[in-house]
Amino acid sequence: MDHPETIKTILDALSDTPDIRALFLSGSYANGMADAYSDIDFVLVAKDGATDAIAGQWHEAVAQTGEIVLWWDRTTVPVLINAITADWTRTDVIILKPEQLAAHTQHSLKPLFDHDNLYDGLAAAPVPAGPNLEKFTYQIEEFIRILGLLHLAAGRAEYINGVLGVYHLRNLLVALLIEETNAPNRGGVLHLNRLITDAQKALLVSLPSPVPEREAMIAAHLAYAKAYLPRARRRARQIGVDWPERFEAVTWDRLDQTLGIKRPYAMED
């Protein structure tokens, strides 16, 4: 069953259910950026929210689209249900009470049915929130913390853990690159190509692959430090975040004392 058929099947199964007041598409199917690899995100509005009865009705609707092989029912998020069918169609639904829908905007939803005209009462688009200063501060400190653990990984010969550290550094670098582009419609984690520039992609491709060997592990940490820290410092200045100067300084001192490692880039004025 293709995605349009899946959407229509679920719509037909639920549109006359009394306690379900509205069903919307969200995510890439709402903003027009879906492709053949997208999941199908729904927002369902029920009179009493995410009850067991509503979850059961959603299960019956999804089961009409194919054999359900994965079903996560309100586990990590109390209102979220994830499903995968045998053809690997992925459907996610957030189940809300009518008053909870106000957290969404018309820009983020596409109505499938809306018995109470809830969509008309939503704001047209979200108000730009600006940079998250607290989150960015945490990311900087986390990068320096993981970099500082290099001396531990090397000292214990924990090269596999050192590889995991490189992956953490890479994720933080990717988050920084996305922040630099300020791309709209970010979508899920599998949409990196449309979120960063060709130059940023070239930077990521140029960085060494993590290898569980001492010298390779050290070289990878330093390469990511050289790529991340100057850029993060510039970003911090732009958005008004105080740089953790003392933390970074003592981290480089520790790496110098234990591994003979120097800062791999010149400090900017």
Side-chain angles (χ1 to χ4, degrees):
M1 184 176 290
D2 63 21
H3 285 189
E5 290 176 305
T6 296
I7 293 168
K8 185 177 186 306
T9 298
I10 292 174
L11 167 61
D12 290 344
L14 297 176
S15 59
D16 293 328
T17 304
D19 287 339
I20 298 178
R21 306 311 303 157
L23 183 67
F24 304 92
L25 290 171
S26 61
S28 57
Y29 272 95
N31 62 32
M33 301 189 74
D35 60 23
Y37 306 98
S38 297
D39 60 358
I40 311 175
D41 296 302
F42 295 87
V43 174
L44 184 153
V45 181
K47 177 183 175 184
D48 297 316
T51 64
D52 290 344
I54 294 296
Q57 291 168 336
W58 180 256
H59 188 280
E60 291 176 8
V62 174
Q64 293 182 36
T65 71
E67 177 193 0
I68 298 172
V69 295
L70 176 71
W71 183 262
W72 287 347
D73 189 338
R74 297 164 291 169
T75 51
T76 57
V77 180
V79 298
L80 175 65
I81 297 175
N82 311 100
I84 299 177
T85 51
D87 61 359
W88 251 86
T89 297
R90 295 165 293 134
T91 59
D92 297 340
V93 64
I94 293 175
I95 303 173
L96 304 175
K97 296 178 181 178
E99 61 269 22
Q100 294 173 318
L101 188 65
H104 294 261
T105 63
Q106 293 179 352
H107 176 75
S108 66
L109 299 174
K110 180 179 179 180
L112 295 174
F113 65 84
D114 182 11
H115 298 315
D116 302 323
N117 298 316
L118 299 171
Y119 183 83
D120 293 341
L122 300 178
V127 177
N132 187 327
L133 306 187
E134 182 176 349
K135 179 180 178 181
F136 189 56
T137 298
Y138 166 79
Q139 290 172 332
I140 296 167
E141 293 174 342
E142 179 68 351
F143 190 99
I144 297 171
R145 185 186 73 86
I146 295 169
L147 176 65
L149 292 174
L150 176 60
H151 83 279
L152 183 154
R156 290 178 175 170
E158 286 280 358
Y159 305 138
I160 295 174
N161 274 333
V163 164
L164 297 177
V166 174
Y167 283 123
H168 284 302
L169 298 182
R170 184 177 182 84
N171 287 337
L172 289 165
L173 175 59
V174 168
L176 173 61
L177 298 179
I178 294 172
E179 287 297 320
E180 288 179 349
T181 64
N182 196 29
N185 297 318
R186 294 188 180 184
V189 296
L190 301 179
H191 279 296
L192 183 60
N193 278 335
R194 76 182 187 208
L195 301 182
I196 62 176
T197 66
D198 288 342
Q200 291 172 327
K201 293 174 190 175
L203 169 64
L204 289 171
V205 171
S206 73
L207 292 169
S209 299
V211 177
E213 298 172 355
R214 178 185 173 88
E215 295 308 316
M217 178 190 70
I218 292 173
H221 276 72
L222 292 181
Y224 275 93
K226 184 177 181 179
Y228 180 91
L229 290 170
R231 300 178 81 110
R233 185 181 284 267
R234 288 193 293 271
R235 176 71 175 170
R237 283 200 299 265
Q238 291 169 357
I239 65 176
V241 166
D242 291 332
W243 189 261
E245 298 284 1
R246 180 63 178 158
F247 186 30
E248 184 187 3
V250 301
T251 299
W252 286 118
D253 286 346
R254 185 63 176 168
L255 294 175
D256 187 13
Q257 293 164 10
T258 56
L259 299 173
I261 290 175
K262 305 293 184 183
R263 190 192 308 262
Y265 56 88
M267 293 290 290
E268 299 178 358
D269 295 333

